[in-house]
């Protein structure tokens, strides 16, 4: 039961970070000149991927509350944040919030492996590689 409570808490923390990045991202693009051609494509893509993640996480919450369990795909969780970090259309403050969210997710234990999660060990190096590539690349 404790693993389920920990997982549910982690999902809510991730949802909070998604909301944080979505908020600043929407605010940033609201004040960006709309005459830029790429403005119509890329920001909508970034917002869409974060909204899709939020929707999946809320589905996870419903599943946990119904007594079902599962694993969280760490790559799928971190990728929308990394897309924001890598985006050329976002300002430094948006990138900063996305980086802070990734650090928070690490502190919340996103990359910790529970006893029953041995099959997801391969996702952790991939997730960390994507993170390093986003920040350094």
């Amino acid at each position: 039961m404790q693993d389920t409570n920990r997982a549910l808490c982690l999902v809510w923390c991730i949802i909070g970070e998604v909301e944080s990045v979505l908020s600043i991202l929407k605010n940033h693009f609201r004040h960006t000149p709309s005459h830029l051609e790429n403005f119509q494509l890329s920001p909508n893509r970034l917002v869409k991927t974060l909204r899709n993640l939020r929707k999946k996480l809320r589905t996870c919450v419903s599943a946990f509350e119904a007594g079902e369990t599962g694993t969280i795909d760490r790559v799928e969780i971190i990728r929308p944040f990394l897309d924001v970090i890598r985006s050329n259309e976002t300002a430094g403050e948006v990138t900063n919030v996305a980086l802070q969210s990734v650090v928070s997710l690490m502190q919340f234990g996103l990359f910790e492996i529970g006893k029953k999660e041995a099959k997801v060990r391969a996702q952790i190096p991939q997730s960390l590689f994507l993170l390093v590539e986003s920040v350094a690349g």
Side-chain angles (χ1 to χ4, degrees), residues 105-118:
L105 294 177
M106 292 172 77
Q107 291 172 340
F108 293 146
L110 179 64
F111 298 110
E112 291 178 10
I113 300 175
K115 293 177 184 176
K116 298 178 183 178
E117 294 184 289

Side-chain angles (χ1 to χ4, degrees), residues 41-57:
L41 301 175
S42 186
N44 287 338
R45 182 186 56 82
L46 295 173
V47 170
K48 184 178 179 181
T49 58
L50 285 164
R51 284 182 178 163
N52 286 341
L53 176 59
R54 179 179 62 188
K55 183 178 179 181
K56 288 178 184 180
L57 291 169

Side-chain angles (χ1 to χ4, degrees), residues 14 32 39 48 54-55 58 74 85 117 122 127 129:
I14 298 167
T32 300
F39 174 73
K48 184 178 179 181
R54 179 179 62 188
K55 183 178 179 181
R58 287 183 177 162
R74 286 146 175 92
I85 293 167
E117 294 184 289
S127 299
F129 173 77

Side-chain angles (χ1 to χ4, degrees), residues 63-78:
F64 279 125
E65 290 173 350
E68 301 172 16
T69 59
T71 60
I72 298 173
D73 182 4
R74 286 146 175 92
V75 174
E76 191 176 350
I77 290 170
I78 200 167

